[in-house]
Amino acid sequence: MAVSRRRDGIYGYVEIDNPPVNAIGQEIRQGLLDAVDWAEAEGLERVILSGKGRALAAGADTREFDAEPPPPHLPEVANRIEKSPVAWIAAIHGFALGGGAELVLACRYRIARPDAMIGLPEVNLGVIPGAGGTQRLPRLVGMEKALELIPTGKPVSGVEAKAIGLVDELDDDPVGYAEMVNTEWLGMAVPVGELNSGAAEPEDFAKARRAAENRMRGQVAPLKAIELLELAQTASLEDGMRAEREAFVELRKSEQARALRHIFFAERGARAPDWLTAEPAKVEHVAVVGGGTMGAGIAYALVNAGQAVTLLETDADGVERARGNVGKIIDSSLKRGFIDDDGAAARRGRLTVSSDYGAAADADLAIEAAFESMEVKAEVFGRLQSVIRADAVLATNTSYLDVDEIAGTLADPSRLVGLHFFAPAHIMKLLEIVRGKASSERALATGFALAKRLRKIPVLAGVCDGFIGNRILSRYREAADTVLMDGSTPWDIDEAMVEFGYAMGIYETQDLSGLDIAHANRRRQDATRDPNRRYIPIGDRMVAEGRLGRKAGVGWYRYPGGGGKVVDPLIEDLVREEAHFAKVARREFSADEIRHRLLLAMVNEATAILGEGIAQTARDIDLVTVNGYGFPRWRGGLMHYADTLGAATVLEGLEGLAKEDALVWAPSPVVRDCAEKGISFSAWRR
Ligand code: T1G
């Protein structure tokens, strides 16, 4: 890790070298400061700043953020570069993000590769640009553009950067171009800090605030960034940067920033467990069985990652439907510019759709994504194992069914693993890798290797009803339905959880997916349900009334003309009637009480999952809840949030609720254990 520097004549070359992403830690900051002194002492005419390896710099080293980062601080480095009599030129390839972009803004001149990525994404980590970004960016690209980029954290490509004036030139060899920049021209470049900061209309700031409050509801950093941009219109660079620094230091210590850093690093730490040393199968050709929504999404994710795919269906009609489903995704990716015509052709070229299982005979892996019925899955695996190579790994995408039972239908159960994708499978990053009792380590390792290839977030799960995420969701739904029966409404419950930070409440979400899915799961559980556990029938009543959700035009809400949701007073009558039949004395529930119950229900279920070894760590539960179930990212995940409450508080809350229903609210052993030991849920280990 270092900042290397060399001279060639009157040119200086300064290169940031801190693999893998040139994060700017203390050593890099010191190295840059030393390079400014060196260039001046050598009387150089220019310094060309670049990054070694894949990019210029990923930004400040966020691993330093849990404590006061050691000096020198990045604002000082940026200011020294800007004020130096030696002109610094930024030569940008790969990404220049956060502090990396702030160094670029401090340079006198900027050249980028067209495919570079430049941005100030700090709000995604719960902070704001802390080294001049909020003060220099509007001076360079104008306030309206700065209002678009900083509160959203959105990066721009090199081409877009050139178009808005964030960089001066585009070239495939930014360093080479920097060597040819005309001296007089360079001499005329005005330091960004000396430019006037563009102003914007009050309505522009109001619009940015509304956008931040809509899209990043509950988050502090985007609004603070807008405040600092507003200040940049009138304050000197020095005063503006002072205010920015104070705000950054404050935010860096905030719960939201800690939560967002937690999930950022948790996602990057999601990989095969250390004990899993088996060699994964080499996977080049994958069979996917079932070309419905899930199967088509999985097939696209695979061809998108360069894998050959044979998508199997039952008959000619099924083949056409499947081909159409994947074709729709390819066309959409094409239309949105994610791929070009050649890319689309290459993906189509890697896809075979057939009703002949023999077409998958040489597949290295088969993923079953057929109808959620044990009979169908048994039939699919029976056919697969009769044609596919004996060393091929088999996987099921089941959301709820028992992976061990499916494995039991195979001659060799050890080759089966669960790969639970989340719809849409080519977009959602979460992948629950379900370990059956018989799953071989090779099969598991193959699942993790596939996750890496697909750039998914893998989480190891044990076998239980719903694995990790769906089991927590079932408990969330049960707790919500209980509050509904006992006195609330779907919209009050949804609003309470949206205020907590969910983008959408559980009732509106269920209307999207369809009430029949949970209904089918409740029927499947009838045989094993604890007869002493209070059963909430309202969901069954809804299905009985044909209120299946958006697809039926009515569910928990009504969707007139297929449009947006509207509250439906009829629901209150249905609930009142069911409550009457159940002899429930209904009462009011405040939003706080709704949140208290629903969140404690989920935390308790999650700790039970932890205690049973279905999930390995609290961090894994955070990955699942944030990346698969809409838990607010800026709260760090369900268990990170539970740790902000503390185990003792969770225990006390559960014991309070247990007075009304001891069975449903019994604190899990892990809650008791953490409360007694005074440890966090994230520290708990089996
Ligand atoms: N600090 C420390 N480590 C980082 C890092 C960072 N900023 N960015 C990435 N890493 C690690 C990551 O944990 C992983 O580690 C490895 O690098 C590869 O990352 C003062 C305050 C740059 C687009 O928000 O968006 O500057 O797992 O798997 O998919 O105003 O990383 O290998 O041990 O993500 O190719 C602002 C955050 C910081 C950018 C690369 N910057 N990073 O994506 O690789 S705050 C950011 C990213 C700041 C200043 C402010 C992505 C990437 P490991 P990766 P990737």
Side-chain angles (χ1 to χ4, degrees):
M1 158 160 44
V3 171
S4 66
R5 62 191 196 219
R6 64 181 175 84
R7 69 173 294 170
D8 179 357
I10 55 171
Y11 287 5
Y13 297 81
V14 171
E15 191 179 59
I16 299 173
D17 177 11
N18 182 17
V21 295
N22 288 342
I24 304 169
Q26 191 280 336
E27 202 175 329
I28 302 297
R29 295 194 296 273
Q30 188 58 57
L32 289 168
L33 220 43
D34 296 346
V36 175
D37 294 337
W38 161 76
E40 290 170 8
E42 298 279 319
L44 298 179
E45 183 248 27
R46 69 183 68 182
V47 166
I48 299 170
L49 173 66
S50 62
K52 190 166 182 183
R54 51 188 289 219
L56 177 69
D61 186 336
T62 43
R63 277 175 289 232
E64 287 185 349
F65 284 11
D66 287 334
E68 174 61 29
H73 298 304
L74 202 51
E76 180 195 351
V77 177
N79 289 340
R80 283 292 314 280
I81 288 174
E82 182 168 82
K83 290 192 173 62
S84 174
V86 178
W88 282 53
I89 303 176
I92 309 160
H93 77 293
F95 37 73
L97 298 172
E102 289 172 302
L103 289 175
V104 165
L105 288 169
C107 288
R108 200 65 49 83
Y109 208 74
R110 287 155 287 277
I111 300 144
R113 279 179 54 92
D115 60 358
M117 179 166 83
I118 307 166
L120 293 165
E122 285 87 343
V123 292
N124 298 322
L125 291 170
V127 292
I128 53 158
T134 64
Q135 306 302 306
R136 289 195 171 96
L137 188 67
R139 284 174 164 79
L140 191 58
V141 305
M143 188 58 76
E144 278 183 53
K145 266 297 163 201
L147 275 169
E148 260 178 57
L149 298 181
I150 294 182
T152 61
K154 189 167 71 85
V156 292
S157 69
V159 170
E160 291 165 291
K162 173 77 167 64
I164 64 174
L166 177 48
V167 299
D168 300 286
E169 298 297 345
L170 293 177
D171 196 278
D172 285 339
D173 174 12
V175 172
Y177 193 104
E179 289 167 339
M180 297 186 302
V181 171
N182 173 291
T183 304
E184 286 67 42
W185 186 250
L186 188 58
M188 291 191 298
V190 177
V192 174
E194 293 174 18
L195 298 172
N196 287 325
S197 174
E201 295 304 320
E203 175 47 30
D204 295 322
F205 288 97
K207 198 171 92 190
R209 285 195 171 88
R210 284 196 299 275
E213 280 156 1
N214 284 336
R215 202 184 35 257
M216 303 174 92
R217 184 170 181 157
Q219 297 177 58
V220 173
L223 298 173
K224 180 54 81 176
I226 294 168
E227 206 180 293
L228 284 156
L229 285 168
E230 220 160 17
L231 177 67
Q233 295 181 112
T234 53
S236 68
L237 178 73
E238 192 185 357
D239 291 347
M241 283 187 71
R242 187 178 306 110
E244 176 192 76
R245 188 74 191 162
E246 277 166 29
F248 166 73
V249 170
E250 204 48 46
L251 284 172
R252 191 198 67 223
K253 294 181 287 194
S254 68
E255 272 196 21
Q256 289 190 7
R258 273 204 301 278
L260 285 164
R261 282 199 298 278
H262 161 72
I263 204 74
F264 174 87
F265 286 111
E267 286 167 346
R268 284 151 184 81
R271 49 178 69 104
D274 295 343
W275 52 262
L276 185 57
T277 53
E279 197 56 34
K282 190 173 174 336
V283 176
E284 292 308 332
H285 175 194
V286 183
V288 176
V289 182
T293 307
M294 283 309 289
I298 294 168
Y300 182 77
L302 290 161
V303 295
N304 200 38
Q307 306 261 248
V309 173
T310 298
L311 182 54
L312 295 171
E313 258 296 343
T314 45
D315 54 28
D317 288 349
V319 165
E320 274 327 293
R321 268 197 314 277
R323 195 190 309 282
N325 288 341
V326 180
K328 263 187 269 176
I329 302 174
I330 293 177
D331 293 344
S332 156
S333 302
L334 196 53
K335 204 164 76 187
R336 296 165 70 180
F338 296 151
I339 56 175
D340 58 19
D341 292 335
D342 293 346
R347 285 158 179 81
R348 292 187 211 282
R350 289 194 281 268
L351 177 69
T352 304
V353 189
S354 169
S355 57
D356 169 14
Y357 274 50
D362 75 341
D364 312 295
L365 165 69
I367 302 173
E368 171 273 317
F371 185 64
E372 280 286 83
S373 126
M374 196 53 83
E375 294 67 32
V376 168
K377 293 185 189 304
E379 195 265 332
V380 162
F381 282 109
R383 290 180 66 185
L384 272 177
Q385 69 178 346
S386 64
V387 296
I388 203 166
R389 288 195 342 243
D391 66 341
V393 172
L394 302 178
T396 173
N397 171 54
T398 187
S399 300
Y400 275 96
L401 299 184
D402 184 334
V403 171
D404 291 332
E405 193 179 335
I406 298 171
T409 67
L410 290 169
D412 174 6
S414 75
R415 57 196 295 201
L416 184 76
V417 66
L419 292 181
H420 181 214
F421 290 82
F422 288 78
H426 59 293
I427 292 173
M428 295 290 277
K429 294 181 81 64
L430 180 64
L431 178 64
E432 281 182 319
I433 298 180
V434 185
R435 180 183 191 185
K437 288 192 185 69
S439 295
S440 70
E441 293 203 3
R442 176 173 178 268
L444 278 178
T446 304
F448 278 97
L450 182 75
K452 193 176 173 74
R453 179 83 181 260
L454 300 181
R455 290 180 71 82
K456 295 275 184 191
I457 297 170
V459 174
L460 183 63
V463 175
C464 72
D465 194 316
F467 315 132
I468 300 172
N470 278 341
R471 176 167 156 185
I472 293 170
L473 174 63
S474 295
R475 179 66 191 102
Y476 178 26
R477 179 169 292 126
E478 180 193 43
D481 285 355
T482 305
V483 170
L484 177 62
M485 279 286 279
D486 289 355
S488 189
T489 66
W491 34 96
D492 286 347
I493 293 167
D494 278 359
E495 185 47 35
M497 298 311 282
V498 166
E499 276 168 33
F500 176 75
Y502 278 86
M504 193 184 282
I506 192 166
Y507 289 104
E508 186 179 0
T509 307
Q510 194 177 44
D511 272 355
L512 286 182
S513 53
L515 280 67
D516 39 340
I517 296 173
H519 179 262
N521 283 319
R522 287 194 297 275
R523 294 297 69 82
R524 188 171 45 75
Q525 295 157 346
D526 283 342
T528 54
R529 183 174 299 112
D530 181 343
N532 300 315
R533 188 180 186 101
R534 182 184 176 191
Y535 182 75
I536 309 295
I538 188 63
D540 300 340
R541 176 67 187 275
M542 298 286 290
V543 170
E545 301 281 338
R547 304 174 77 105
L548 299 183
R550 176 179 278 279
K551 62 187 173 188
V554 66
W556 299 105
Y557 297 87
R558 191 169 286 282
Y559 300 87
K565 71 177 191 293
V566 293
V567 162
D568 181 359
L570 266 181
I571 287 283
E572 295 186 82
D573 298 341
L574 285 177
V575 176
R576 248 188 233 107
E577 190 177 59
E578 287 302 322
H580 171 71
F581 294 152
K583 298 184 176 40
V584 170
R586 303 185 85 227
R587 67 174 179 82
E588 288 290 310
F589 283 86
S590 70
D592 282 341
E593 194 172 359
I594 291 169
R595 285 187 285 268
H596 176 73
R597 286 165 176 266
L598 272 50
L599 289 164
L600 280 189
M602 286 195 274
V603 168
N604 203 28
E605 195 65 30
T607 55
I609 287 168
L610 205 47
E612 295 163 29
I614 299 293
Q616 303 303 301
T617 61
R619 189 195 74 168
D620 278 358
I621 293 172
D622 289 337
L623 289 173
V624 169
T625 49
V626 166
N627 288 290
Y629 293 83
F631 196 88
R633 185 180 183 81
W634 55 269
R635 292 196 185 264
L638 179 63
M639 299 315 285
H640 184 87
Y641 166 71
D643 277 334
T644 63
L645 300 177
T649 302
V650 169
L651 178 60
E652 186 189 352
L654 290 168
E655 287 178 332
L657 292 166
K659 292 191 182 93
E660 74 183 48
D661 188 333
L663 179 60
V664 164
W665 292 107
S668 80
V670 170
V671 168
R672 290 195 183 285
D673 195 24
C674 290
E676 277 151 28
K677 291 177 183 164
I679 61 171
S680 65
F681 295 115
S682 57
W684 188 87
R685 293 290 179 274
R686 280 167 69 79

